[in-house]
Amino acid sequence: MGGLSFLRRMSLQQKNRTPVSTASTSAEIVEEEPAQIATPETQTVLLLHAARQPYQLTEDYPVPQVEGDSEVLVRAQAIGLNPIDWKAPDFNFAIPELPYISGRELAGVVVQKPRHASRLKVRDRVLVISTDYRDLRKAAYQQYVVAFDYNTVRLPRTLSFEEGSTLGVAFVAAALSLGVCMGVDFSSVLDGPDLFSLVRGVAPEVLADDIRKECLDSIRDYERAVAGDWLAVWGGSSTSANITIQLAKLAGLKTIAIVDKAKHGLRLANHKSIRTDLLVDSHDPQRAVDIIRGNLKGKLRFGIDTRGKESATSLLQALSPGNLATAPPASKDSPVDSPPSPPATPHDSALLSAHLIGLTGLPKQTPPEGTLFHTVPIKLFHEVPAVGEALVSWLERLLSSGLVSPPEIIDVEQGLGSINKGLDRMRKGEISGGKLVVNVT
């Protein structure tokens, strides 16, 4: 009877995770965190076999293998659909090989943790942001996905998998647009990153040739956007605009959204997180430009376009050199005989440049004098671990604190096989002002 009583006591102690009195029994009940959860050898994926064709549901496709020490394996639960997922096959771009697996963001569960020390653990609920579209292991349209731990965000329990799958790519695009192209310092917002300084601290040879100039020479220190500056976002109803406005407001910027007011005006005006200081109807682009100029009277230096070349061209008119403000006086410590830095040296009479960032396209013309065009250096996120880690760690804090809210979910489709249906709905313009999500399970 005494032996049975002891076993019952041990069972109860293990269940409640209460340490027993002897060192030997205590060691026996400690459970180490597993390195992985058993996974199958094959899975179901969506494959694109040719441009301008639908994706094909394919079974018995190999589960991707973890290769590097910083990689994790995630079992997908929900996938967020993005315009690039239908535009790439329709217009035959950003498809590095065939057959191809697409998809840029998903939420799921970690089933294999990194080999090196990491903040991620097995069974963590996470958001995977896949900006590395050339590595098919990291594409979202499959049941199991490989990701760098520095491109993976732990989700708070307050967010569902569906909500978590809505904002990853938009967050990266918004943070890099604001932090790199505009120089916004987020250090006052939950110890966010100063991407302007972080990127300039990276060895130049680490940066890819096609983004090095944008990262290092696109904006001067004295021109950086600061609290109180104005930012205009054309296409303010998109997911990217949603997150951009939220982050800009957190940094103290004043915001303008140019949208179809009949469709989105009431929602934006009544939404606490994305309510802007000025809401302008996009129906008549020239009238929108006139309204912005009339209200801001030369104070608008920054614009982000989320729509395309035509709207970017309209936004450029609102950023014309005639609207530029003068730069702040140089400090007494500034060298008076230092060589000039284009577009101007910071002194009393210098003009601050205007900056236009195109998420999907820029005007065909060359930038007017005093205006600079920017493209978002998105590959910074997956090619420079320090940048990726800074962004995902910050996003974890923003989501846990509720300072950033996921975009509205317009609808949820069921199963990988429903992705083609969802993309058709996006082609037809049925999804606007929010996100379409696919529940994988």
Side-chain angles (χ1 to χ4, degrees), residues 82-102:
N82 289 286
I84 186 68
D85 300 336
W86 68 263
K87 290 182 179 179
D90 281 15
F91 299 101
N92 195 18
F93 72 95
I95 304 173
E97 62 181 276
L98 291 171
Y100 182 64
I101 305 176
S102 191

Side-chain angles (χ1 to χ4, degrees), residues 64-393:
Q65 298 298 304
V66 168
E67 297 174 358
D69 290 344
S70 62
E71 293 182 347
V72 297
L73 184 66
V74 175
R75 183 177 68 244
Q77 300 289 324
I79 298 171
L81 303 188
N82 289 286
I84 186 68
D85 300 336
W86 68 263
K87 290 182 179 179
D90 281 15
F91 299 101
N92 195 18
F93 72 95
I95 304 173
E97 62 181 276
L98 291 171
Y100 182 64
I101 305 176
S102 191
R104 298 291 183 267
E105 57 192 347
L106 67 110
V109 177
V110 174
V111 296
Q112 184 174 340
K113 68 178 184 179
R115 296 169 190 160
H116 71 179
S118 173
R119 72 195 194 295
L120 299 179
K121 302 185 296 296
V122 169
R123 298 189 181 89
D124 275 350
R125 302 168 67 254
V126 295
L127 158 64
V128 172
I129 309 169
S130 177
T131 55
D132 186 5
Y133 71 96
R134 295 183 180 275
D135 189 342
L136 302 193
R137 300 176 306 141
K138 300 171 184 174
Y141 290 0
Q142 53 191 329
Q143 291 176 307
Y144 290 88
V145 176
V146 169
F148 291 129
D149 61 348
Y150 54 83
N151 290 163
T152 305
V153 181
R154 292 174 298 180
L155 293 176
R157 288 290 171 183
T158 53
L159 292 185
S160 66
F161 286 120
E162 290 79 10
E163 290 173 313
S165 72
T166 63
L167 77 165
V169 173
F171 172 79
V172 172
L176 293 178
S177 297
L178 294 165
V180 176
C181 302
M182 292 174 49
V184 175
D185 182 0
F186 292 109
S187 57
S188 64
V189 185
L190 294 183
D191 196 25
D194 178 2
L195 293 172
F196 177 92
S197 300
L198 175 59
V199 171
R200 281 160 175 75
V202 173
E205 60 270 18
V206 173
L207 304 172
D209 292 344
D210 58 341
I211 65 170
R212 189 175 299 141
K213 181 176 177 59
E214 181 65 55
C215 293
L216 302 180
D217 300 319
S218 61
I219 187 169
R220 305 303 182 187
D221 182 73
Y222 66 88
E223 292 186 304
R224 298 174 65 177
V226 296
D229 281 340
W230 282 90
L231 167 66
V233 181
W234 201 296
S237 63
S238 70
T239 302
S240 295
N242 179 313
I243 304 300
T244 297
I245 291 169
Q246 291 192 58
L247 296 184
K249 291 177 64 176
L250 290 175
L253 272 64
K254 297 179 180 180
T255 55
I256 306 168
I258 303 97
V259 299
D260 184 335
K261 291 181 70 173
K263 293 175 64 175
H264 306 292
L266 184 61
R267 179 178 61 87
L268 291 176
N270 293 331
H271 197 299
K272 179 181 178 181
S273 298
I274 55 176
R275 185 189 308 129
T276 56
D277 296 280
L278 181 61
L279 189 63
V280 181
D281 191 2
S282 62
H283 180 70
D284 183 339
Q286 186 56 55
R287 182 174 181 272
V289 170
D290 293 341
I291 290 173
I292 294 171
R293 285 184 166 183
N295 278 270
L296 269 66
K297 302 185 185 305
K299 297 180 181 179
L300 181 63
R301 291 198 298 124
F302 300 99
I304 296 179
D305 178 80
T306 71
R307 304 291 295 175
K309 292 180 180 180
E310 290 187 8
S311 54
T313 301
S314 295
L315 183 53
L316 173 63
Q317 297 177 36
L319 297 170
S320 64
N323 283 355
L324 301 183
T326 56
S331 67
K332 294 180 180 179
D333 298 327
S334 300
V336 295
D337 55 353
S338 59
S341 299
T345 305
H347 54 77
D348 289 344
S349 61
L351 290 179
L352 294 173
S353 296
H355 298 269
L356 176 61
I357 302 149
L359 298 189
T360 58
L362 285 164
K364 294 181 180 180
Q365 68 189 81
T366 58
E369 183 179 359
T371 303
L372 298 177
F373 290 171
H374 301 263
T375 55
V376 184
I378 202 78
K379 62 174 62 175
L380 267 179
F381 180 64
H382 61 266
E383 290 189 352
V384 182
V387 172
E389 184 69 35
L391 288 178
V392 299
S393 299

